[in-house]
Structures are given as C-alpha cells and as structure tokens.
Amino acid sequence: MTRRVLIFWAIAVALLATRMVWGQAKEDNGPFIERVQWGFTNSMPIERFAPVTVWINGGRSGFTGTVSLSYRQDATQKTRIVTAASATPGRTTPVELVCALPNGCDDVEVLLTDDRSSRGVRFTRQGSDSTLALPLSDDLFEILMIGETGVGAASKVTQNQAAPRPASSTDAMTIEQRAAAFWGRVFPTALGQELPLNWIAYDSIDMVVVRADALVGVDPRRVEALAAWIGAGGRCVIVVDQGLAWRRLLGEDESGDLVSLGDVTWLTPDEGAYAPMNHRIGPRVRGRLVTLTALGERDGWRLIVPARGVDDAPGALIAVGPVGMGMVCVLASDPKDWVTDPGSEASGIMWRPVVEGMAPSKATVTDEYRWYWYWGGSLGGMYETVALRASVDRVAKIPPLGVTSLLLIGGAILLLGVLLGPVDLLVLKRLGWRHRSWLVALGWIALASVLATVTPWMIRSGETEVFQHESVDVLPRGELVERWRTGVTAFFSGRPGRYELRAMESGGVWRGVSVLNGGVDSAPLAFGELPIVQRQADSGGREAMPGPMGMGQWMLRTIMEQAPGRVVRSGEVSASVRVSDGVPAVVVDGLAPGVSLEGARLRTSQGWSDLALTRDAHGVWRGTTTGPFTPEQEWRWTQAKEMASSWYGQQVSMDERVERFSAVNSLPMAIDREAAVAARVAGGRWACVYLDVAGVAGGVTFEEGVVARRVSLRLMAPLATGDEWPRAERRWPGMSLTENMK
C-alpha cells in the first residue's frame, strides 16, 4: 500500500513539474518587454511630460493588445496611460508613450495586455531584486541637442565659471548668478529616429538646439511634432546650413519667409557687438548673413550682432523672433567657430549669451521656483503651482452642505447614542436580554452604517457639475486664425458613479493634477484610477484623452489639458485695433450672445491700459482705453513669509488686480507663450487684447450635469499701416551691450 502511494505521488509531482516547465517555456516564447527607455537619455524630469519608449519583443506568436503605464499621479489619484500596440513574431518594436511623473513617484508598472494575459515589469526609485530603477531627475534646465553643435561646451563653462549665488535666495540675481541657477544638462542626440512623435514629449526640454542638416531624411511626422511644440510655446535655436531643412521649423504658413539667408561666405561683424565674458568675436566669421523679411519685421523679429557680407550688405549673425506662440533663434553659423582663440572654454562662452537669451523665464529665477512644487502640489514650479490653485479657486463653485443635511447628520448621531444607551438599558432590561446588549449594539451600528452610506445619495449638496478655466491664445493668419489652449477642469460629483468627459476638439493632452500640498504619498487616494488613452488624433498628431472616471460622494477632482495649435475659421473670436490721434479704438467680434465680459485690457509697445467695452446691437463689443498706458507686468507676485527661519513656509500669491488675467495664463505652456506675445507687441505692429469671459460654450461635453466655463483670451491684433506704435527697446539677456538688438 505504501509503495502504491509513493508511486502515485511520484507521478503527480512529475506531471506537475512537466506542466510547470511547459508553462514556463510557453511563457518564455510569448511576447515580453525587452527594455524601457525613460525620457530622451534614460532620465525623467519631475512633473513634466517626457517620452517613454517601451520595446516589445513579439516572441513566437506576436503581440496585439495594449501597453500601459500605471503610477500615482498626485496626492489624490492614480493614473493609467494606455495605448494600442502590436509586434510581429520574433521582432522588437518600439512603442512610444508620454507621461508626467510626479515628485516622490516610487512605483511605476509597465504592462503588456492582450486577450489572453497581462505581463510586465515594475520600476521603483531605488530598484531591488524584483524591480528596476526608476531614473528621476530634478534638474531645472535641460537642452536637447539635435546634430553636432558647440552648446554642450557652454554648459561646462557656465557651471565652472559662474559667480557665487546671492546670500539670500530672494535677492536680485546678476546675469552670471542667474546662469549658475539654471544651467542643467545638455542631451545630445544625432538620430532623427529618436525624436518623439508626440509634441508634448518636448515639455521635458527647456530648449532644443538643432543643426538644420540633422533633420534631412527624418520622418516628417517627427519634425511636425517638434514644430508643433515650438508653435505652442517652445524655444528652439537653429544653426543653419546650406540646405532648406531649417525652414520646416518656422511653420508651414510662413514658408521660411520670416528671415532670409545669404550664401555661406565670410562675414564682418560690428566691432564690439559680441563680447561675452571679455571673449571677443573674431574680425571675420564664416556663415550665412541673416536678414529680416517684411513679414519678419512685422512679427517682431530682431537682428542681433550686426554684420556685413559680400559687397558690404547689411545683416546680422543672429535673428530672434516668434513662430506661432514659441520663440526661435536663427544662427548664421555655430558660435563655437566665432572666436579668435579656438578652444573648448572659448567656444562654450560664445554659446552662453544665445542660451541665456533664449532661456524661458522659469529658468532664471531663484530657489523658491525650483523647490516650491515639492510642497505646493502638482505642476513644475512656483508660478504654475500657484496658478493651478488660483484657477481652481476662481471657477470651482462647490455647493455647501445645507442646514437640512447638517441637522440630519446631527440627529442621526444623537439617535444612535440614544439607541445604544437609554433605549437599550430600558428595553433590554424589561425583556431580560441585558446579557445580549453587545449583539444589539452591533445591530444598531450596522444599521447606522448602512444609513450613512445610503443617506448622502438622497441629501446630496448639489448636482454633478464641471468647471473649466482655460487660457486661449488667438493669432490671425490671413483669412484663418490659429489658437492654442491650456486649461484646468474641476469635476464635482454630486453622487457616486463613473463619469466621462468628452473633449469637443481633438489633439489635446490630459493629465491629473491636484492642489493638495505635499508629495504623492502624503494622503490616501481619494479617487478611482484616471485612465488616459493615447492615440492618433483626428486632427493629426497624437492625443491623450481621459476615459471614464470613478468618483465618490461630494468630491472635487481636477485634471488639466494642454492643446497644440489648431487652425480654425476666422470670425470665431477676433480683435481689431485702430488708432486715431493716439487713442485706440478696440473691436472684439465673435463672442457668443449671453457671455459675461468681466474684464478687458489692452497691451501695446507702450504698456498696458484697462479697456471699457460695450456690446452693440449686432453683438460686437466696442470701446477704448480708460487711461494712459503703464509699464505694468502681465502678472505680479507677492511673497509673505510665515516662517522666518525657513523658506519652506513661504506662501506665494497673485496681486488681486491682475489675477483674472494672470492665474490661468501662468499654467504650463500658457506661461511659455507669453514671450511670443511680448515679442510681437514690442515690435509696435501688434497689439494684444486680454479678455476675461464667463459663460463661454465649448470645451467639453458632459451628459450627466452642467458645464461652467471661464476663458482668459489673449487676442493678437495686427495694426494697420499708420496705426503702429513706436518699437520698444529690448535687451538681449546675457550680453554686455544694450544696443546690439535692432
């Protein structure tokens, strides 16, 4: 008998082992994740979108399904980013996603899912025996270099030679001290195939430096993504060459007509026009003379470092100006070749003014900007974090808990206390069940728990509502207009359920955000998972749209959308400005009936002024300025230190006078588009009309409730010949001369 039992168990163990080995072999022959590349060079910045490339091996049978990234997005919600993917048998296929990892992110799961199974890998901050290391970076300023240029040497020179920081981080910073604050890393890449397909992937980069010939032969979709990011507020430096590839980054409409370049020849720069850190430019420079076209001059482009070419033709070595709502710098040649004493240090110094001049404003501030996001909530810095909070506070009108609800809650608690105390004492004593009081107490508590779960559905404080606050930039392009959007959507759930918002326009990129302080692990998750589906957009390019969201009772969830430029028909919303005897007459057309205009301002090369606009019988808003122009900035920040011993306790807020125009316009990408607005206006041939409008239709559709939408509009208005204001003087940052920017 014992022998038979032993034989039975031996056969069972053998069969089990065979099944396990067969199953493992089958698993090994299936699709799997071969590797994951984070960011452009295996590094992920915090709170900014960056590309994530998942390399899938199709195995023996191939793969058709989805790739997903799951992680905790902020202090309130987890997100799952999903995109469709496929891989042929025996081949490795790259699949591109984009995500914005939060501060404190310590766990990201990458999954392959098909109709049979799910398999994947996990990444953690430090890595372990069962997980891979998650490469997070907190560098504030990063440059992507496409092709071979000398900008990499500039980073090393600046880091080694920059002056010490001020004793107080709130003191004004000199050019050299500011350089020390913002210089980070330069990412070199010479492979066009490594460029992302999604425009928002460049959000992780503060500046792209590209040698134009490196774009030859690159997939047009990838170049279009780079151009879309530039137009939405990006910064790009182009080192031109003999070809025409560089014109692809200046926008399809302009066709490269913003600037004109001569043939490669010897150029003679003006003496003393370019002398960073006492390193003077050589008497002759090899390159292509840069001049502006009439369109470039109208759009606010400027020539820097005047030079002369063949036959003493005037021009410059550098041209800077707006493309769409971004900023582009065109170089006649690589600045590393401009020095009389060639060398790594001198070459880097020649690049330094170019990089400082093109650096976004957020890269030239003090440590408060760099570290505020750690304590302030979502997004990448002080301005954006405070802007998020101000925008949500401005639009999210949460209905308060009514008196009836409070009375019911208080009465229910009092009733439970009475039932557990006097009632149980008297009734159970009469029935002789005092020894079962514990069981009766459990029954009362269970009944109270059920009522506490069901009752809020019946006495909820308000209906489910959606609140939107958007920044919209509108730029006329002949008979058409192009617009860009950044906005926050606050979703209030009046009752539990799964809800879905549907964007009325394609092409946007959505993500979850939170105004709660602290890192992502500082609070329990309040909401269900936020699904984000990344796919091909109907309007071209890639988009990332939210899926159905699980919501509890009386909860406010915030998500944010960033949208690239979209060409639409003219007449939707537009502004025109005419000047008579120095007095501007402003006309705004295209606002729908029923909207509420709650604020208006005019910005010109002479400064700012409030507008008084009224609607006429045809629905057109007309008016003029209410006073003289002042040099007031678009936003002001006030700081109040609550803890004198540490900057961790600082609270940063906006001046209430300009908050309605500043809050949403300081969100990511919207704040970057300010430079293009300023450049056009400073040229004297454009004005900008700022409007704060409530009750605007559009944005999203929501079948289960109402949508309340507020929009901050920046309407660019070209000025007719004879109506121009004087050109404002502008200084190119990082250079010793003030008269070198014409």
Side-chain angles (χ1 to χ4, degrees):
M1 182 70 178
T2 303
R3 184 178 180 183
R4 291 181 179 178
V5 171
L6 291 175
I7 293 174
F8 170 79
W9 281 110
I11 294 174
V13 170
L15 289 174
L16 180 61
T18 301
R19 180 177 179 82
M20 291 177 62
V21 171
W22 178 84
Q24 183 66 41
K26 181 179 179 181
E27 189 75 12
D28 290 344
N29 289 330
F32 62 93
I33 297 174
E34 193 170 278
R35 63 187 175 96
V36 178
Q37 177 174 315
W38 300 93
F40 286 93
T41 55
N42 208 38
S43 177
M44 290 292 287
I46 293 172
E47 287 289 353
R48 296 198 288 176
F49 281 103
V52 178
T53 305
V54 180
W55 296 80
I56 304 173
N57 189 307
R60 178 174 296 179
S61 58
F63 173 78
T64 300
T66 62
V67 178
S68 64
L69 302 176
S70 297
Y71 56 92
R72 186 163 178 165
Q73 181 67 76
D74 53 56
T76 63
Q77 57 194 329
K78 186 177 181 180
T79 192
R80 180 169 56 91
I81 299 172
V82 182
T83 190
S86 61
T88 56
R91 300 273 184 159
T92 300
T93 303
V95 178
E96 180 187 312
L97 302 96
V98 291
C99 69
L101 297 182
N103 166 56
C105 182
D106 195 39
D107 193 339
V108 180
E109 186 176 34
V110 186
L111 283 180
L112 298 182
T113 305
D114 56 19
D115 55 0
R116 295 172 293 180
S117 63
S118 294
R119 66 205 74 188
V121 293
R122 285 183 59 221
F123 291 80
T124 57
R125 179 70 67 94
Q126 302 298 332
S128 64
D129 294 339
S130 59
T131 64
L132 300 175
L134 183 64
L136 294 179
S137 166
D138 63 355
D139 280 348
L140 184 64
F141 185 70
E142 295 179 343
I143 298 174
L144 176 66
M145 182 173 63
I146 305 174
E148 295 296 329
T149 71
V151 69
S155 175
K156 299 175 183 178
V157 170
T158 305
Q159 291 172 353
N160 293 337
Q161 298 191 1
R165 297 293 307 279
S168 172
S169 60
T170 59
D171 292 345
M173 301 179 70
T174 66
I175 292 170
E176 290 75 14
Q177 291 163 340
R178 190 173 65 242
F182 76 69
W183 268 103
R185 296 177 297 170
V186 176
F187 291 156
T189 173
L191 300 178
Q193 290 76 7
E194 295 179 359
L195 300 181
L197 289 168
N198 197 324
W199 69 276
I200 198 64
Y202 292 97
D203 182 48
S204 59
I205 299 298
D206 295 281
M207 184 186 307
V208 171
V209 176
V210 55
R211 179 173 286 278
D213 56 6
L215 298 177
V216 176
V218 176
D219 184 346
R221 298 175 301 166
R222 301 181 186 274
V223 179
E224 290 172 4
L226 175 57
W229 171 76
I230 295 172
R235 308 294 176 94
C236 182
V237 177
I238 305 174
V239 181
V240 298
D241 49 45
Q242 291 278 24
L244 299 176
W246 59 277
R247 295 182 180 271
R248 298 163 67 183
L249 298 181
L250 295 189
E252 185 176 356
D253 290 347
E254 285 100 353
S255 302
D257 292 334
L258 292 167
V259 297
S260 177
L261 276 77
D263 296 330
V264 177
T265 186
W266 286 104
L267 308 176
T268 305
D270 286 5
E271 184 177 358
Y274 196 79
M277 295 177 67
N278 297 320
H279 283 70
R280 291 189 175 275
I281 194 171
R284 300 180 71 199
V285 171
R286 188 80 173 168
R288 303 179 66 180
L289 190 68
V290 185
T291 57
L292 299 182
T293 65
L295 178 60
E297 292 182 356
R298 188 207 71 171
D299 266 12
W301 277 68
R302 308 251 177 165
L303 293 177
I304 306 172
V305 190
R308 295 187 176 275
V310 178
D311 298 329
D312 212 29
L317 300 183
I318 304 174
V320 179
V323 172
M325 282 294 166
M327 294 295 292
V328 172
C329 174
V330 176
L331 302 178
S333 60
D334 195 321
K336 70 180 179 63
D337 301 324
W338 295 357
V339 291
T340 55
D341 50 344
S344 176
E345 179 178 309
S347 300
I349 291 173
M350 282 293 140
W351 262 99
R352 179 172 163 174
V354 175
V355 175
E356 290 187 29
M358 288 296 291
S361 59
K362 64 186 179 184
T364 60
V365 294
T366 55
D367 278 340
E368 280 82 0
Y369 182 92
R370 178 165 186 163
W371 295 108
Y372 191 84
W373 50 257
Y374 189 89
W375 308 101
S378 296
L379 305 185
M382 180 176 67
Y383 295 162
E384 294 95 328
T385 300
V386 177
L388 171 64
R389 187 175 301 130
S391 296
V392 174
D393 288 344
R394 185 166 175 78
V395 299
K397 309 300 181 185
I398 307 303
L401 204 61
V403 177
T404 302
S405 300
L406 293 175
L407 292 176
L408 287 174
I409 293 173
I413 296 175
L414 180 61
L415 178 61
L416 178 61
V418 171
L419 291 174
L420 290 174
V423 173
D424 276 1
L425 177 64
L426 297 175
V427 175
L428 295 181
K429 182 178 180 180
R430 182 181 293 258
L431 296 177
W433 288 0
R434 290 284 305 275
H435 61 288
R436 294 177 178 165
S437 60
W438 63 272
L439 182 61
V440 176
L442 287 178
W444 289 128
I445 293 173
L447 177 61
S449 300
V450 171
L451 292 176
T453 303
V454 176
T455 303
W457 298 356
M458 299 179 289
I459 61 170
R460 62 181 182 269
S461 60
E463 296 297 325
T464 299
E465 295 184 76
V466 174
F467 308 94
Q468 281 198 296
H469 198 189
E470 286 189 330
S471 170
V472 178
D473 290 282
V474 179
L475 177 65
R477 291 187 178 276
E479 297 298 323
L480 302 175
V481 297
E482 188 169 5
R483 68 166 181 244
W484 295 260
R485 295 183 297 110
T486 297
V488 173
T489 299
F491 186 95
F492 174 74
S493 56
R495 60 182 181 275
R498 291 185 65 81
Y499 300 95
E500 184 173 6
L501 302 175
R502 298 186 181 275
M504 299 184 66
E505 292 183 0
S506 63
V509 178
W510 295 73
R511 57 160 291 189
V513 291
S514 173
V515 299
L516 294 184
N517 293 329
V520 297
D521 295 325
S522 63
L525 290 171
F527 309 111
E529 189 176 67
L530 173 65
I532 300 291
V533 180
Q534 296 186 4
R535 62 197 178 198
Q536 186 72 21
D538 295 337
S539 57
R542 302 281 294 175
E543 65 181 8
M545 309 299 287
M549 300 174 290
M551 297 285 290
Q553 185 77 18
W554 298 341
M555 288 187 174
L556 183 73
R557 186 175 203 160
T558 49
I559 55 179
M560 184 180 72
E561 180 193 16
Q562 296 167 253
R566 181 183 180 91
V567 177
V568 297
R569 62 183 178 84
S570 61
E572 288 197 353
V573 182
S574 61
S576 63
V577 179
R578 298 299 305 269
V579 182
S580 177
D581 296 329
V583 179
V586 179
V587 177
V588 177
D589 194 10
L591 290 177
V595 303
S596 173
L597 183 59
E598 301 189 3
R601 305 191 82 194
L602 178 65
R603 183 180 184 181
T604 70
S605 63
Q606 306 304 295
W608 297 77
S609 180
D610 290 331
L611 287 173
L613 301 178
T614 56
R615 185 194 290 269
D616 63 17
H618 303 285
V620 178
W621 293 83
R622 303 176 185 272
T624 187
T625 55
T626 60
F629 289 102
T630 62
E632 185 178 15
Q633 297 294 321
E634 182 180 1
W635 60 79
R636 292 192 215 161
W637 301 91
T638 58
Q639 298 183 359
K641 289 192 175 182
E642 295 182 350
M643 295 174 59
S645 61
S646 172
W647 52 263
Y648 289 105
Q650 286 188 356
Q651 295 295 320
V652 185
S653 60
M654 295 183 181
D655 190 313
E656 292 182 358
R657 290 176 54 198
V658 293
E659 180 180 337
R660 64 164 55 96
F661 303 106
S662 302
V664 73
N665 289 337
S666 298
L667 289 173
M669 298 307 293
I671 192 174
D672 296 322
R673 294 194 285 269
E674 150 65 16
V677 175
R680 284 191 174 89
V681 168
R685 300 188 182 183
W686 286 83
C688 185
V689 177
Y690 287 63
L691 301 178
D692 181 33
V693 185
V696 184
V700 298
T701 59
F702 181 58
E703 298 179 356
E704 291 85 355
V706 298
V707 178
R709 184 169 179 243
R710 177 184 292 271
V711 176
S712 177
L713 288 163
R714 289 189 287 200
L715 305 177
M716 298 303 302
L719 301 176
T721 302
D723 288 347
E724 302 97 333
W725 274 281
R727 193 176 178 91
E729 294 296 326
R730 304 194 73 196
R731 181 177 182 271
W732 181 251
M735 299 180 66
S736 58
L737 302 180
T738 59
E739 64 271 13
N740 58 2
M741 194 168 187
K742 306 297 183 183

